[in-house]
Each structure stands twice: as C-alpha cells, then as structure tokens.
Amino acid sequence: MLTMPPSARVAKKWTTVDPIEECRQALHKKAFAVHHPLAGHPLFSIEALTAAAERAAKRSGDLYADVGDLSLTDKWGSVPAPTMPIPEIIERIETAGAWVVLKHVEVDPAYKRLLDEYEAFVREIAGPEGSKLLTNAEMLVFITSPNRKTPYHFDAEVNFLVQITGSKNLWVCDPNDRSVTTEEEIEQYYGVSISAGTYKPHAEEVARQFTLHPGDAVHIPTHGAHWVQNHNEVSVSLSLNMEFPNWLQADVYRANHYLRRLGLSPRSPGQSIVADRSKAAMIHAMRAARKNARRLLRR
Ligand SMILES: [Fe+2]
C-alpha cells in the first residue's frame, strides 16, 4: 500500500512524486502518484460546492447523486435516483450515505483557471508528442459521505483522482491485464454501456492500492479498472481528466464490437495501423450517415 508522507502533502504546485521521465513512461499504462496544490482551496468548500451544484442543476446532465450502501460489484446507475434535491443532500452529506457528482464545473472561469494549471502539468508529463493526443480537459467534483464505496469500473479518459478533503483507499488494476478487463468488455464499454466492466474475484490481489489524503492525487490509466473505499469522514475529491481522439482507440473498439457480433475475432487497437485507420474511418462514416439521416428526417 502506498501512503504519501505528510510533508509532501502541502505542495505549492502540481508535482510528480517520481521523476517526470518515469511518469511519462507510465502515463496511460500504470497508476502513479502526484501531489497537487488544491487541498484547502476555498472553491472546494462545501458552501462553494453547494452553490456550484445549484448552477450545475440548471445544465442538463451535469449533476448526479445516488444514495445507498453500494458494494464493489454494483453497476453505475443501479441505485434509484434520490428523492431529495441534490443541494440538500450536500448539506446533509455527513449522514446521507451519498455520492454526488458535479460535472463540467470548469464552465465557471474560477474553476477553469485551476483546470488550466492541471492541464499544463499533464501536458508537461506527456511531453510534446504525447501532448498532441490529449484534448478536452474536464473537471468533475465528487462529494462523498463517510464510508461510501465507489464500485468497480473503468473509464475512457486519461484521469487523475485528486483528494481535496477527507481520505480514501483506491485500488487500480493494470489496464493491459486482460484477466481483469477483457477485450470484449472494453468493446462493449464503447459500443453498448459504460458499465461493461465486471468485477473479477482476483482483481483485489493484482490491483495496486493507494491511500489518498488531501494534497495527494493518482493517475488512473484509461481502461484501468478501479474502485474506491472512502474513510470515515466526508470526502471531496476531483476527477481531472482529458480525452484521446476517437480515432485512436474508441472508434476502433466500437468497430471491433460490431465485428465480434458478426462472429469475427478482431485485432485490438495498436496491432495494425492500417486496420485501426480503416475501422475508425468506418465508424466515422457510420456516424456521419446517422447525422445526415437525422437531418433529412427533420425536414
Ligand atoms: Fe472512475
């Protein structure tokens, strides 16, 4: 288990724990720890976040909450939506048993400035070439009740989980371990449902465990399965993430999903540049055709 030394938690700026060249090699492949300057920032107080949640509620799809005692194996969206207004859940977060997500808080310029600092840091890690592949920096805020779990899942983004208040354990699996995340699950993630990942009993044995305190952050690689156990106090944490272009992986996996449904065994992305480009072009053409069809139907 990795626990950061307390002295390292008061970083004045984003810094890597290991040398930056090592982090560049690990980016998108392995989890690694960094430190950040956002712990104690007034924009992440419960009062500021309640106001941010009220603004997010006016934007479609930018505010989510679930309430209940979730297990590691529960799927995203399997818990019924809460009946209480979300700003009220935040006020009662100490006892609500809730997980609240505010998306795209960077529409507010004050939060955007903090996101820009993160983006500059990740681009420095990625280097000039790697940086060209990263787009659409985004800030999500998680406000979590004591002892809540975030179930097992994986994501498409280049993600950093950033601890602001409270503490938690995080388990991250190797994104290339196909005994944990299968090729079919990744294809289904892009082609069917973002809940495609299913917990395997041996995942905990092979996962790397981190303990995050305020000032700590961990890079969670794309497709790296992970889950979270909050400690016994309220947690405020961020997902700061960036995206790869669709042609690099997402559209290749989508094409593979269709090909597998036809009974074929498609090659995974990265094995053939020509095959990857053809598959991405096919999905791009299907997307354009669908868009055109919708436009014609509206006339
Ligand atoms: Fe995640």
Side-chain angles (χ1 to χ4, degrees):
M1 192 203 313
L2 293 182
T3 306
M4 324 297 175
S7 57
R9 290 182 199 140
V10 286
K12 289 197 171 61
K13 62 185 185 83
W14 286 90
T15 48
T16 58
V17 172
D18 296 320
I20 195 161
E21 294 76 20
E22 277 179 35
C23 295
R24 187 169 299 163
Q25 293 302 317
L27 193 67
H28 320 313
K29 299 182 190 83
K30 289 184 203 164
F32 60 83
V34 304
H35 295 300
H36 68 84
L38 302 177
H41 196 291
L43 283 176
F44 302 111
S45 68
I46 290 294
E47 295 72 28
L49 293 175
T50 303
E54 279 162 2
R55 293 193 295 275
K58 294 177 185 150
R59 304 190 300 270
S60 174
D62 277 1
L63 188 60
Y64 171 89
D66 59 41
V67 176
D69 189 17
L70 270 70
S71 80
L72 204 59
T73 54
D74 282 320
K75 299 272 190 180
W76 174 270
S78 63
V79 181
T83 48
M84 196 189 293
I86 294 177
E88 206 173 310
I89 293 175
I90 298 174
E91 272 174 36
R92 300 179 187 195
I93 195 71
E94 198 91 44
T95 54
W99 184 55
V100 178
V101 184
L102 284 64
K103 297 180 191 170
H104 291 299
V105 290
E106 73 276 5
V107 294
D108 180 327
Y111 290 96
K112 174 73 164 62
R113 276 192 287 279
L114 302 180
L115 183 64
D116 288 345
E117 289 170 16
Y118 153 81
E119 181 173 347
F121 171 68
V122 177
R123 291 193 182 284
E124 191 188 345
I125 294 176
E129 281 308 303
S131 187
K132 287 180 193 164
L133 292 173
L134 302 174
T135 58
N136 295 342
E138 176 193 21
M139 180 184 287
L140 286 82
V141 180
F142 304 130
I143 309 167
T144 320
S145 293
N147 302 312
R148 261 291 303 245
K149 286 186 179 73
T150 304
Y152 173 97
H153 68 285
F154 62 83
D155 303 301
E157 293 82 12
V158 176
N159 186 21
F160 283 74
L161 181 63
V162 177
Q163 194 67 27
I164 303 287
T165 306
S167 59
K168 60 181 49 157
N169 288 345
L170 164 72
W171 289 260
V172 187
C173 297
D174 176 353
N176 293 312
D177 184 342
R178 290 289 165 265
S179 76
V180 174
T181 313
T182 67
E183 200 70 10
E184 287 87 342
E185 283 174 349
I186 304 175
E187 291 163 10
Q188 285 163 12
Y189 173 92
Y190 290 106
V192 184
S193 163
I194 59 166
S195 302
T198 299
Y199 180 75
K200 324 288 184 304
H202 74 289
E204 193 161 349
E205 287 160 35
V206 296
R208 197 166 164 203
Q209 187 186 340
F210 296 85
T211 298
L212 286 91
H213 296 276
D216 299 334
V218 171
H219 166 56
I220 302 173
T222 303
H223 307 151
H226 54 282
W227 63 97
V228 176
Q229 169 71 61
N230 208 23
H231 293 171
N232 60 357
E233 56 197 325
V234 169
S235 161
V236 174
S237 57
L238 312 177
S239 165
L240 300 184
N241 61 68
M242 299 180 77
E243 292 175 3
F244 287 127
N246 275 331
W247 55 261
L248 186 71
Q249 294 192 89
D251 282 352
V252 183
Y253 278 119
R254 283 188 188 105
N256 285 356
H257 169 68
Y258 293 125
L259 293 169
R260 204 176 292 276
R261 274 172 45 186
L262 294 172
L264 302 169
S265 301
R267 280 188 283 192
S268 52
Q271 291 186 24
S272 160
I273 293 172
V274 175
D276 286 358
R277 286 190 180 157
S278 308
K279 289 171 185 172
M282 179 182 92
I283 296 295
H284 182 75
M286 284 168 66
R287 198 179 284 129
R290 264 201 300 266
K291 205 170 159 188
N292 270 338
R294 275 200 296 269
R295 196 179 302 142
L296 286 170
L297 284 170
R298 276 201 300 270
R299 279 183 187 165

